[in-house]
Amino acid sequence: MSVAVPRRIVIVTAVHAPSARFLPEAHKSLCEQELPDGWTWHWLIQEDGTTDEVRPYVPEDERITFRQGRAGGPGVARTIALSAADGPYVKILDADDQLAPGALARDLDALESNRDLGWATSRVLDLLPDGSTAGFPGDPDAGPIERGAVLDYWAANDFRAPVHPATLCVRRDLLLALGGWMALPASEDTGLLLALNAVSRGWFSPEVGLLYRKWEGQATGQAAHVDSGERDARMGVVEARARALGGLGWSYRGGG
């Protein structure tokens, strides 16, 4: 009698020393996920560097793989982590964020039920320093997001996407085909989102899927993140890549 092999959803997290202290809370949110029968998760934690400051915060769990490597930014760390991805889906989880209950099950349901979709996203709440949460208006309608829709919205709304890239769940083969995350000092996840939407339809779940932590050490809160020269360059190459991919006429037509 054959034994069913569990199917895995791979969670990819880039971490550096300042954000390592939040890993136990991220782990707790993972452990509270209820997955469909036959599914399990594998958490790949990749340190962006080789310090001694992250490992003490990595939870003891056989479902976790922790690795280190030379510093190159979160996009490089996540892409390197893909070498150990052993499941058909890759879910992003930043070290300082937390998954909301049911997030993984909803991602799997959307992608397993719609084989032509390449990726899924969900609603986000900001997690404020006092422990309270705050939402914001402007979410798209629940359901499919057509090819090119994210770029159109982003270009018309001062480089703000209609869905949050930190909630992405992506088919691994599509993520690899696009080369992983962009080699940028920031906005690498936005670049991936726009590239994905240039070649594939996506999905938006209106239920909260992520608590996005706001704190003094996050990269998006630093002065360099809003430097106009760098920001214009980042946004320029993000848009150019998405338009180039869209112009090739290639589209993702099936899930693995």
Side-chain angles (χ1 to χ4, degrees), residues 5 9 38 63 72 79 84-85 96 99 109 142 145-146 151-152 170 175 203-205 211-213 231 242 245 250 253:
V5 177
I9 179 169
R63 298 167 294 181
T79 301
D96 50 358
L99 294 176
D109 180 64
I145 299 175
E146 299 302 323
L151 176 58
D152 290 344
V170 188
L175 180 57
W203 184 268
F204 177 74
S205 295
L211 300 181
Y212 182 79
R213 189 184 301 273
R231 183 174 185 265
L245 284 168
W250 177 77
R253 299 187 183 279

Side-chain angles (χ1 to χ4, degrees), residues 60-227:
E60 292 293 332
D61 191 319
E62 63 182 8
R63 298 167 294 181
I64 296 175
T65 298
F66 172 65
R67 293 181 175 179
Q68 298 173 297
R70 56 177 170 169
V76 171
R78 293 191 200 105
T79 301
I80 286 291
L82 287 180
S83 65
D86 55 357
Y89 301 110
V90 175
K91 175 71 171 179
I92 299 169
L93 178 60
D94 288 345
D96 50 358
D97 293 342
Q98 299 172 34
L99 294 176
L104 297 185
R106 288 190 292 271
D107 287 338
L108 288 173
D109 180 64
L111 295 173
E112 286 282 287
S113 301
N114 301 275
R115 307 301 293 181
D116 65 318
L117 299 180
W119 49 278
T121 55
S122 62
R123 176 168 165 74
V124 172
L125 293 180
D126 285 343
L127 177 60
L128 304 178
D130 64 1
S132 63
T133 58
F136 45 91
D139 286 336
D141 294 335
I145 299 175
E146 299 302 323
R147 286 183 61 192
V150 174
L151 176 58
D152 290 344
Y153 185 98
W154 180 85
N157 288 274
D158 192 31
F159 309 135
R160 182 173 65 87
V163 295
H164 205 303
T167 69
L168 275 168
C169 184
V170 188
R171 296 190 190 275
R172 185 186 61 174
D173 57 352
L174 176 57
L175 180 57
L176 290 170
L178 292 174
W181 286 263
M182 292 189 74
L184 294 173
S187 306
E188 74 291 332
D189 52 358
T190 298
L192 173 60
L193 171 64
L194 267 64
L196 288 166
N197 187 230
V199 300
S200 64
R201 300 167 73 228
W203 184 268
F204 177 74
S205 295
E207 297 87 356
V208 175
L210 186 76
L211 300 181
Y212 182 79
R213 189 184 301 273
K214 294 287 190 179
W215 62 291
E216 70 282 356
Q218 65 187 147
T220 54
Q222 308 306 306
H225 188 74
V226 294
D227 175 80

